[in-house]
Amino acid sequence: MGQYEEWMREAIADARLALATGDVPVSAFVVDANGNRIGSGRNERELAGDPTAHAEVLAIRAAAAAIGDWHLPGTTLVVTLEPCVMCAGAIVAARIPRVVFGAWDEKAGAVGSVYDVLRDRRLNHTVEVIAGVEAEACATLLLEFFGERR
């Protein structure tokens, strides 16, 4: 198993914890160049009553606080679901060079599904994207969550 798969399995385990809050089970974390986790987050929109409390935004905020700088060069963001437009904007703003994600989001994805913000050459920063890591396991968790609510 490669590093990306190992990280994604950790993110999937974290995403399961969001289920207790009624939030969509999405988890993200930021690792530094040495592979050390420097910030993490899970969806907390329901818990916090905050529409911006996506896993990626919370992980980026935590990583920036941990290193004392909003620039996050040399880092990788790992997330169980393809980032949306808001989260893709935050990734670009933070200058994160690599994103690894699991499941595709055919309705709101901004990293190749609906939009491709992270690789848009018109922006001041482009991001390497590693897509579909443990995609089936990530998608299954989401399908189970939404299936129970229908």
Side-chain angles (χ1 to χ4, degrees), residues 12-96:
I12 293 166
D14 287 349
R16 290 187 191 288
L17 299 175
L19 293 170
T21 67
D23 278 289
V24 177
V26 176
S27 174
F29 59 83
V30 178
V31 295
D32 65 16
N34 296 318
N36 300 310
R37 195 185 292 209
I38 59 171
S40 58
R42 300 185 277 286
N43 273 3
E44 293 184 2
R45 293 186 305 170
E46 298 298 329
L47 181 66
D50 178 356
T52 69
H54 287 206
E56 300 94 322
V57 170
L58 298 176
I60 291 167
R61 287 177 184 163
I67 67 167
D69 192 351
W70 62 269
H71 295 92
L72 298 175
T75 63
T76 300
L77 175 81
V78 178
V79 60
T80 57
L81 179 64
E82 178 184 5
C84 68
V85 173
M86 176 184 69
C87 293
I91 292 162
V92 170
R95 311 299 194 271
I96 296 173

Side-chain angles (χ1 to χ4, degrees), residues 55-135:
E56 300 94 322
V57 170
L58 298 176
I60 291 167
R61 287 177 184 163
I67 67 167
D69 192 351
W70 62 269
H71 295 92
L72 298 175
T75 63
T76 300
L77 175 81
V78 178
V79 60
T80 57
L81 179 64
E82 178 184 5
C84 68
V85 173
M86 176 184 69
C87 293
I91 292 162
V92 170
R95 311 299 194 271
I96 296 173
R98 179 182 305 114
V99 169
V100 176
F101 75 84
W104 292 92
D105 186 344
E106 299 295 332
K107 293 183 179 178
V111 188
S113 289
V114 180
Y115 303 101
D116 200 354
V117 173
L118 299 186
R119 294 177 283 207
D120 190 329
R121 300 267 179 221
R122 296 169 293 183
L123 298 176
N124 63 336
H125 177 73
T126 56
V127 180
E128 175 187 8
V129 175
I130 312 296
V133 176
E134 298 290 333

